[in-house]
């Protein structure tokens, strides 16, 4: 939050970053018995009402999303195989491990099956607890087996209700963060309403339930709320310790449940680094937060059997570099403006160089290549060089990893969220620049401290943290659409805080010479209430219509395929195909896979490229040899991939394979001059003609409108 402080000439010994100038007035007011009693009663009443509303609106949001999921799929009425197919792509893979743990005769055997898994990747035994973030599935399966609920609740409902319950926690955490920033629970109520009315852009939990982000983001929201409270000045020692515990637990759980945690927390570390460098945050508190990040990641690393990708993360290298640079530059925050600016730039350069140096050393020691596809993707995405790398292009061609669509802002504007956000952001950014300039200009000399100008603008640490947080995550969302859910939810918090903040309205009214304490009170309560009334009037009928709209899951071709696999293939049969489909095969049939959608391992990426040659222009004997090298017994071909029209030319899967293989793409359009015509026709098309070279290696055993299954011959 922000305030306008009138600074008087004081001795340097009287200056403290933790005590606002109004403290003496507050102390005098607290001496008045009647005023103190009424304030306490009002505070208790406000906490009770606000807390009750927070819990209620969180639960209502959870019920709302669960109802949408039920209405969209008729989940309670469809068959078990249809329920499992509804967990599309990687969602099905994650849920399969929950199912696997429940089907194990004992918990010990279930753990053993995850640690020594030989069905997720054929001809390989991998440690799933090391490779993937599936501790949440393990924990839920243990709970379900231990609690006496088997007679009353099916396993799938226990799973999805847990995820929808986490959404209640998520909304409550957003509510509390906004409340902490503004000082009124009305702000939290507005944030929650905005979150729900902008559901399309704030969450996708109702149709991608098991996704890792749906597990992780509620804990991330709790962490932000706890950090917001921790950055307040004058916390009591006990409150501070409890808050640090809450930050540590939420950071740990966030890190444990999402493989992209290190990249999100790197952004958070950059926020802390920026504020600490500009003297807008107590250095000791920033140090605590850096330490919690490192400790949480290292603990997750231990639980994931020393996952090298965590040890080689940029976050650990960056935080260690900050500590080292601090030791080397002890007088960073002293001197004149130009002197401090020069020191700051040198400090930034030192941290950057140390980060890259440490990260490269760690990766060379660990021989780490698991995250190289991410950096190739980023390099190509930001125009630092074209690439023919299959993995990088696979990401670049997905809409989720493209730029944020412009129509997103239209939807956010319909609820007035975007307008309110820009209004609050503009004011706070201006204030932040003023505060940063003053902080860099201030000298530690006592005489100059006594000559500080009056009317200096002040930006509180918790507000500064949330400001830089929303800016950095905004840039991330603009560049990568999939990350918009990090930004839009915090956008609700930040916009609602600003509209309910007395400091924002005080600054605005003073700038137009209309300042009056009563006007501030009127504005901070009337504007949010009017917006809430507008949201109820405009969106309530649509939400009711949405809740009354009933649909039903319908995918007969996939259901037929899964039933056929269960009935006509051996339990130990190995299947090859697209990553997305094979996740469903693993969940619905328990068969062994050649590859899967968890794309964070370099050897798996190479394996996937090899399997995907079924959609390239390759000879049948070459494809057969590649598939048999992974022990494949059956291969599933999908017409939706072979004849894909969803992506533009150059982004279809068959085009990516052609480019990676050095072959010219199909259809009208230009090709790079060095690409050559292929020596063989496209495998997925030609195999359907039942020509002798193909029939010698592949026998069709199943076919419907969508899928073609071929059994591989075992001859050499």
């Amino acid at each position: 939050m922000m305030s306008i402080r009138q600074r008087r000439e004081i001795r340097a010994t009287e200056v403290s970053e933790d005590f606002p100038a109004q403290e003496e007035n507050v102390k005098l007011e607290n001496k008045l018995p009647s005023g103190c009693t009424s304030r306490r009663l009002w505070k208790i009443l406000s906490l009770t009402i606000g807390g009750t509303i927070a819990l209620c609106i969180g639960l209502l949001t959870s019920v709302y999303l669960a109802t949408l999921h039920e209405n969209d799929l008729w989940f309670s009425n469809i068959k078990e195989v249809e329920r499992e197919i509804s967990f599309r792509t990687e969602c099905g893979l994650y849920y399969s491990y929950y199912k696997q743990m429940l089907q194990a005769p004992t918990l010990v055997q279930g753990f053993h099956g995850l640690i020594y898994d030989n069905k997720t990747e054929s001809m390989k035994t991998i440690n799933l607890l090391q490779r993937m973030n599936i501790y949440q599935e393990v924990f839920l399966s243990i709970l379900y087996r231990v609690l006496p609920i088997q007679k009353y609740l099916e396993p799938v409902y226990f799973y999805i209700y847990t995820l929808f319950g986490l959404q209640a926690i998520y909304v409550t955490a957003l509510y509390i963060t906004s409340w902490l920033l503004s000082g009124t629970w009305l702000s939290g109520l507005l944030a929650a309403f905005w979150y729900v009315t902008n559901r399309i852009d704030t969450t996708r939990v109702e149709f991608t339930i098991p996704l890792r982000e749906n597990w992780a983001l509620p804990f991330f929201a709790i962490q932000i709320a706890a950090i917001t409270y921790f950055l307040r000045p004058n916390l009591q020692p006990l409150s501070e310790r409890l808050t640090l515990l809450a930050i540590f637990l939420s950071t740990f759980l966030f890190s444990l449940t999402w493989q992209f945690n290190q990249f999100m927390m790197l952004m958070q570390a950059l926020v802390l680094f920026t504020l600490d460098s500009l003297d807008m945050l107590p250095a000791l508190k920033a140090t605590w937060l850096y330490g919690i990040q490192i400790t949480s990641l290292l603990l997750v690393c231990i639980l994931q059997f020393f996952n090298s990708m965590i040890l080689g993360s940029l976050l650990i290298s960056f935080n260690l570099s900050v500590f080292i640079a601090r030791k080397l530059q002890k007088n960073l925050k002293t001197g004149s403006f130009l002197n401090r600016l020069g020191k700051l730039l040198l400090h930034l350069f030192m941290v950057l160089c140390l980060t890259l140096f440490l990260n490269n050393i760690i990766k060379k020691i660990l021989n780490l290549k698991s995250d190289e596809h991410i950096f190739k993707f980023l390099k190509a995405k930001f125009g630092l060089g074209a690439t023919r790398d299959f993995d990088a292009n696979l990401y670049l061609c997905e809409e989720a990893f493209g730029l944020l669509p412009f129509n997103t802002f239209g939807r956010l504007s319909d609820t007035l969220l975007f307008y309110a956000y820009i209004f609050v952001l503009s004011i706070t950014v201006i204030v932040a620049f003023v505060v940063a300039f003053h902080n860099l200009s201030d000298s530690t000399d006592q005489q100059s401290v006594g000559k500080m100008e009056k009317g200096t603008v002040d930006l509180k640490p918790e507000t500064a943290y949330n400001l830089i947080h929303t800016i950095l995550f905004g840039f991330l969302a603009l560049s990568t659409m999939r990350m918009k859910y990090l930004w839009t939810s915090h956008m609700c918090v930040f916009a609602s805080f600003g509209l309910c903040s007395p400091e924002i309205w005080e600054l605005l009214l003073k700038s137009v010479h209309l300042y009056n304490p009563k006007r501030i009170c009127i504005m901070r309560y009337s504007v949010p209430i009017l917006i809430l009334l507008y949201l109820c009037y405009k969106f309530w009928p649509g939400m009711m219509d949405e809740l009354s709209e009933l649909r039903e899951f319908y995918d007969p071709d996939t259901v037929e395929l899964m039933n056929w696999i269960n009935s006509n293939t051996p339990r130990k049969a190995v299947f090859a195909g697209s990553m997305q489909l094979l996740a469903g095969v693993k969940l619905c049939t328990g068969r062994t896979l050649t590859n899967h959608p968890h794309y964070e391992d370099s050897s798996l990426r190479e394996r996937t490229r090899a399997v995907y040659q079924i959609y390239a222009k390759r000879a049948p004997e070459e494809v057969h040899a590649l598939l048999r090298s992974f022990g494949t017994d059956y291969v599933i071909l999908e017409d939706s991939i072979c004849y894909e029209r969803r992506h533009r030319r150059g982004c279809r899967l068959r085009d990516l394979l052609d480019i990676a293989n050095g072959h010219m793409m199909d259809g009208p359009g230009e090709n790079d001059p060095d690409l050559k015509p292929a020596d063989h026709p496209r495998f997925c098309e030609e195999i359907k003609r039942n020509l002798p070279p193909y029939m010698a290696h592949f026998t069709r055993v199943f076919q419907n409108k969508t899928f073609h299954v071929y059994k591989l011959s075992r001859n050499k």
Side-chain angles (χ1 to χ4, degrees):
M1 289 175 285
M2 292 163 292
S3 62
I4 304 296
R5 291 199 305 191
Q6 297 296 325
R7 298 191 180 183
R8 56 189 177 85
E9 293 189 4
I10 53 177
R11 294 189 306 273
T13 55
E14 295 177 334
V15 177
S16 171
E17 64 179 344
D18 291 334
F19 291 87
Q22 295 94 336
E23 183 185 5
E24 294 300 323
N25 293 334
V26 172
K27 286 182 176 179
L28 289 172
E29 291 174 1
N30 287 341
K31 291 179 181 178
L32 299 174
S34 60
C36 182
T37 303
S38 62
R39 271 196 304 275
R40 285 181 180 176
L41 289 173
W42 175 250
K43 186 176 181 181
I44 292 171
L45 181 63
S46 178
L47 285 172
T48 303
I49 295 174
T52 303
I53 292 175
L55 293 174
C56 290
I57 200 164
L59 289 172
L60 286 172
T61 303
S62 175
V63 171
Y64 171 63
L65 294 172
T67 305
L68 289 179
H69 174 259
E70 167 64 26
N71 290 355
D72 193 47
L73 300 176
W74 203 7
F75 201 74
S76 60
N77 193 66
I78 58 179
K79 299 176 183 178
E80 185 67 20
V81 65
E82 293 175 309
R83 290 177 180 173
E84 292 178 348
I85 291 171
S86 71
F87 296 140
R88 302 283 187 180
T89 64
E90 60 186 295
C91 299
L93 184 69
Y94 296 131
Y95 183 78
S96 73
Y97 300 121
Y98 170 72
K99 180 181 176 181
Q100 181 178 324
M101 280 290 292
L102 291 178
Q103 291 177 343
T106 65
L107 286 175
V108 173
Q109 288 176 291
F111 269 111
H112 187 274
L114 294 179
I115 296 172
Y116 300 98
D117 178 89
N118 54 16
K119 303 198 76 174
T120 302
E121 294 177 19
S122 59
M123 303 183 72
K124 286 183 68 175
T125 298
I126 62 174
N127 185 342
L128 293 168
L129 295 178
Q130 180 189 50
R131 181 80 73 81
M132 303 182 192
N133 298 71
I134 57 170
Y135 269 102
Q136 48 268 50
E137 276 74 23
V138 173
F139 177 70
L140 270 196
S141 63
I142 294 172
L143 268 185
Y144 186 79
R145 294 178 71 138
V146 170
L147 295 175
I149 57 176
Q150 290 88 347
K151 293 182 180 179
Y152 315 104
L153 195 64
E154 296 178 59
V156 66
Y157 280 107
F158 183 66
Y159 187 91
I160 66 173
Y161 286 167
T162 300
L163 267 299
F164 287 126
L166 280 176
Q167 282 295 302
I169 296 174
Y170 190 15
V171 173
T172 303
L174 298 176
Y175 181 109
I176 291 172
T177 304
S178 188
W179 186 358
L180 288 171
L181 288 169
S182 66
T184 173
W185 54 260
L186 182 63
S187 171
L189 182 62
L190 180 58
F193 263 68
W194 263 330
Y195 178 86
V196 174
T197 53
N198 291 282
R199 175 182 55 82
I200 294 175
D201 297 300
T202 55
T203 183
R204 51 178 175 167
V205 67
E206 75 272 15
F207 59 90
T208 58
I209 295 175
L211 269 191
R212 302 300 84 179
E213 67 190 53
N214 295 329
W215 284 97
L217 291 184
F219 298 118
F220 192 54
I222 293 171
Q223 186 220 41
I224 293 172
I227 290 175
T228 300
Y229 185 75
F230 175 68
L231 295 180
R232 284 184 163 189
N234 308 325
L235 285 182
Q236 295 296 322
L238 178 60
S239 297
E240 190 169 77
R241 284 194 290 269
L242 290 174
T243 307
L244 282 171
L245 178 62
I247 294 171
F248 169 72
L249 290 175
S250 55
T251 304
F252 167 69
L253 291 172
F254 170 68
S255 304
L256 189 66
T257 52
W258 198 13
Q259 68 268 29
F260 292 142
N261 63 78
Q262 52 186 283
F263 303 105
M264 304 306 103
M265 289 201 294
L266 177 61
M267 303 286 285
Q268 196 174 60
L270 290 172
V271 173
L272 298 173
F273 177 75
T274 303
L275 297 176
D276 183 24
S277 300
L278 296 174
D279 208 15
M280 300 168 73
L281 187 73
L284 180 61
K285 291 190 174 184
T287 302
W288 272 107
L289 296 175
Y290 286 135
I292 285 175
Q293 285 189 335
I294 293 177
T295 306
S296 299
L297 268 191
L298 292 179
L299 185 55
V300 171
C301 181
I302 293 170
L303 286 175
Q304 289 192 291
F305 296 81
F306 298 94
N307 186 326
S308 59
M309 191 172 177
I310 295 176
L311 294 174
S313 67
L314 277 173
L315 175 66
I316 289 180
S317 301
F318 177 79
N319 286 3
L320 290 176
S321 300
V322 171
F323 289 144
I324 296 170
R326 274 184 176 180
K327 291 293 183 182
L328 296 176
Q329 273 186 300
K330 294 183 179 180
N331 298 320
L332 181 65
K333 299 178 181 179
T334 58
S336 63
F337 175 77
L338 292 177
N339 192 2
R340 289 186 66 174
L341 186 60
K343 289 181 181 179
L344 182 59
L345 293 175
L346 178 62
H347 183 65
L348 177 62
F349 180 73
M350 186 183 300
V351 170
L352 178 62
C353 291
L354 277 172
T355 299
L356 296 176
F357 174 74
L358 287 175
N359 194 251
N360 284 328
I361 291 295
I362 293 172
K363 285 184 175 179
K364 284 183 179 179
I365 293 173
L366 299 175
N367 192 27
L368 180 63
K369 297 180 180 179
S370 296
D371 58 353
E372 62 181 0
H373 66 297
I374 297 174
F375 295 103
K376 288 180 181 177
F377 159 71
L378 292 174
K379 182 179 176 181
K381 182 177 180 65
F382 294 111
L384 301 177
T387 180
R388 289 183 178 176
D389 183 77
F390 175 78
D391 303 316
N393 285 326
L394 197 62
Y395 280 104
L396 285 170
C397 287
E398 283 299 320
E399 185 182 3
F401 292 93
L403 299 177
L404 187 68
F406 189 74
N407 60 13
T408 305
F409 302 105
R411 291 192 300 270
L412 296 174
S413 299
D414 287 342
T415 63
L416 305 182
L417 172 59
F418 187 64
Y419 299 129
Y421 177 75
I422 293 298
F423 165 71
V424 177
L425 185 67
S426 302
I427 295 175
T428 47
V429 164
I430 293 170
V431 171
F433 272 113
V434 172
V435 170
F437 179 78
H438 275 286
N439 288 347
L440 292 176
S441 301
D442 284 347
S443 172
T444 56
D445 183 28
Q446 292 186 7
Q447 292 182 354
S448 59
V449 170
K451 296 178 181 178
M452 292 165 66
E453 294 182 4
K454 296 182 179 181
T456 305
V457 177
D458 183 39
L459 187 69
K460 294 185 178 180
E462 60 267 34
T463 304
Y465 167 79
N466 280 276
L467 170 64
I468 308 300
H469 173 97
T470 197
I471 290 174
L472 288 186
F473 280 85
F475 282 123
L476 181 64
L478 291 171
S479 65
T480 307
M481 188 188 78
R482 184 176 178 179
M483 297 302 173
K484 72 175 178 178
Y485 303 101
L486 288 159
W487 182 44
T488 49
S489 59
H490 194 265
M491 185 188 290
C492 300
V493 170
F494 199 76
S496 60
F497 134 71
L499 294 183
C500 295
S501 170
E503 291 83 8
I504 289 281
W505 289 113
E506 181 180 353
L507 188 63
L508 184 66
L509 292 175
K510 281 188 174 180
S511 65
V512 294
H513 306 291
L514 292 174
Y515 172 73
N516 185 299
K518 289 184 179 180
R519 286 198 183 104
I520 292 176
C521 187
I522 292 171
M523 296 300 289
R524 71 180 294 226
Y525 289 113
S526 62
V527 172
I529 289 172
L530 288 173
I531 292 176
L532 285 170
L533 292 173
Y534 167 78
L535 294 176
C536 290
Y537 171 76
K538 184 170 182 179
F539 294 98
W540 183 262
M543 290 172 67
M544 291 300 101
D545 291 341
E546 196 175 29
L547 288 173
S548 63
E549 187 176 354
L550 303 178
R551 297 181 182 142
E552 182 179 357
F553 177 85
Y554 185 73
D555 190 354
D557 290 348
T558 307
V559 170
E560 185 184 11
L561 172 66
M562 299 304 171
N563 288 335
W564 180 87
I565 292 173
N566 273 320
S567 303
N568 297 278
T569 63
R571 291 288 299 173
K572 294 185 178 180
V574 178
F575 278 80
S578 68
M579 296 183 290
Q580 297 81 359
L581 179 63
L582 289 185
V585 171
K586 173 75 169 61
L587 171 58
C588 298
T589 71
R591 301 306 192 261
T592 304
L593 312 180
T594 56
N595 55 306
H596 54 81
H598 194 270
Y599 216 53
E600 311 308 319
D601 181 76
S602 57
S603 63
L604 175 65
R605 292 194 294 271
E606 292 173 4
R607 179 182 282 228
T608 299
R609 285 196 297 273
V611 170
Y612 275 10
Q613 297 304 311
I614 58 178
Y615 297 109
K617 298 171 181 175
R618 301 292 291 267
E621 56 272 12
E622 292 177 339
V623 175
H624 181 268
L626 284 170
L627 295 178
R628 285 301 301 160
S629 68
F630 305 125
T632 307
D633 297 310
Y634 298 88
V635 59
I636 307 173
L637 296 172
E638 301 171 62
D639 286 346
S640 58
I641 297 178
C642 189
Y643 306 106
E644 182 186 358
R645 293 182 177 85
R646 184 169 65 94
H647 290 101
R648 68 181 187 279
R649 184 177 185 271
C651 265
R652 300 169 298 190
L653 179 61
R654 61 180 186 268
D655 296 336
L656 302 184
L657 290 164
D658 289 344
I659 293 171
N661 293 338
H663 297 156
M664 296 176 65
M665 294 181 289
D666 294 335
E670 296 183 358
N671 287 283
D672 290 341
D674 60 328
L675 294 178
K676 299 178 180 179
D679 295 330
H680 302 279
R682 193 167 304 282
F683 177 85
C684 64
E685 296 177 357
E686 201 69 9
I687 193 175
K688 295 171 187 175
R689 298 175 60 191
N690 294 324
L691 298 175
Y694 293 86
M695 293 179 68
H697 299 288
F698 301 92
T699 304
R700 184 162 55 198
V701 290
F702 174 83
Q703 177 184 2
N704 62 21
K705 290 185 294 184
T706 305
F707 305 105
H708 304 263
V709 181
Y710 292 86
K711 185 176 181 179
L712 277 69
S713 64
R714 291 183 177 271
N715 62 304
K716 294 184 180 180

